[in-house]
Amino acid sequence: MTNKLTHTLAGSILYVSLVVFSCCSVFGQNAAPSMRFALPERTRLLQGQLVDLVVEIRNASAISGFKVTLGGADITAGFGFPQPAPLDCGGGSHLVVRANLQSIDSPGSVVLQAEATAGGARISDSRTIEVRPFNIGARRNVILFIGDAMGTAYRDAARLVAKATVDSSGKNSFREGFFDELLEMDKMPVSGHVMTYGSDSVIPDSANTGTAWASGNKSYLNAVNSFADGTDCQWRFNGAANATTLPYILAIHVSRIFGNT
C-alpha cells in the first residue's frame, strides 16, 4: 500500500512537472510583447551630461504609436527607427529604438516615459532620473588620475610603510599616533570618495570603478561607461573576444553614459 501510494504520488508529481514545463515552454514561445529602457533603476546625471537613451522592445517585429516623453515633454523626434536586435540570446523577434547623446538641462527628478503598441497590446516603461545641478561657469578640462585598487585600506598601508619605517638617519615619522609628514596624496586640498561597487558585482574591476568616478553611475563588470542591455549575453559569461562577440563588446546596442568634464 505504501509503495503503491508512493508511486502514485511520484507519478502525479512527474505529471504536474511535465504539465508546468510544457506550459512554460508554450508561454516562452509565445511571450507577450514588452518594453524596457536600457537604464538602471537608479540613473543619476549631472545637468547637461550626455547619455544614450535606448528602448528595448521584446517579442515584437513591428510597433506603432511609439512615443517618448521626458518630464512631460515629447522627445520622440530624437529617436531613430526601430532596429532588429538579438536580445537575450533566446531567438525571437526583438527591436531597439535609440536616441544618442541626449541631455537634461534642468536639475531635479524627471520622469522618462516610453510607450508603443505591439501585437495589438499597449506596452510601456518609465524611469525616474535624478538630475544634479552642475554649473562651473567657464568650460574647463579635468584630467582624472585613478590609482587602481587604491581604496582607503591601501592608502593606510602605504602611509604606514612609507612614513613609519625608520630611515637611514634613524628617524621614525610616525610617533604616538601622529605623522610628522603625510603622503603627497594626503596633502591635496580636496579629497573625494565614491562607492565603486558594480551593478552586477560587489568586487568590481577597473572598468566599472573608473566609470563610477567619471560618470557617477554604476556599470557592469568589464564595461566602461556602459549600462547593461539585452545583447550582453552574447559575450559576458565567457569573456571571449572574436568576430562574433566583438560587436557586442564594443557596445553597438548598449546605452552609454558620458562623464561631464
Side-chain angles (χ1 to χ4, degrees), residues 57-219:
I57 298 100
R58 286 169 167 77
N59 306 307
S61 57
I63 58 173
S64 61
F66 180 74
K67 182 179 180 180
V68 183
T69 58
L70 181 65
D74 192 333
I75 62 169
T76 311
F79 285 78
F81 292 104
Q83 299 294 328
L87 303 179
D88 305 331
C89 300
S93 298
H94 313 291
L95 301 170
V96 163
V97 193
R98 63 184 303 130
N100 295 335
L101 301 176
Q102 302 298 302
S103 65
I104 303 173
D105 296 326
S106 300
S109 293
V110 61
V111 176
L112 179 67
Q113 175 81 34
E115 59 182 22
T117 297
R122 200 65 180 164
I123 54 177
S124 64
D125 191 29
S126 66
R127 292 288 185 279
T128 299
I129 300 176
E130 181 183 350
V131 183
R132 299 288 181 87
F134 184 76
N135 186 0
I136 58 174
R139 182 175 178 84
R140 66 185 68 180
N141 293 322
V142 177
I143 300 175
L144 177 63
F145 288 93
I146 304 174
D148 206 3
M150 286 294 291
T152 55
Y154 292 91
R155 290 181 59 174
D156 291 341
R159 191 181 302 110
L160 288 169
V161 170
K163 303 301 181 181
T165 302
V166 177
D167 60 21
S168 58
S169 64
K171 179 183 177 182
N172 184 342
S173 296
F174 179 55
R175 300 183 308 280
E176 298 180 349
F178 290 93
F179 288 93
D180 292 334
E181 185 179 3
L182 297 173
L183 297 171
E184 293 302 316
M185 68 178 70
D186 294 327
K187 301 175 185 178
M188 296 288 184
V190 177
S191 294
H193 291 266
V194 62
M195 292 184 182
T196 57
Y197 307 121
S199 60
D200 63 347
S201 58
V202 174
I203 303 175
D205 67 1
S206 56
N208 48 334
T209 54
T211 297
W213 275 104
S215 73
N217 284 274
K218 306 291 187 182
S219 66

Side-chain angles (χ1 to χ4, degrees), residues 218-243:
K218 306 291 187 182
S219 66
Y220 52 93
L221 204 64
N222 300 320
V224 177
N225 285 22
S226 298
F227 293 136
D229 77 348
T231 67
D232 297 338
C233 56
Q234 301 283 343
W235 66 274
R236 281 182 65 185
F237 299 109
N238 57 29
N242 53 47

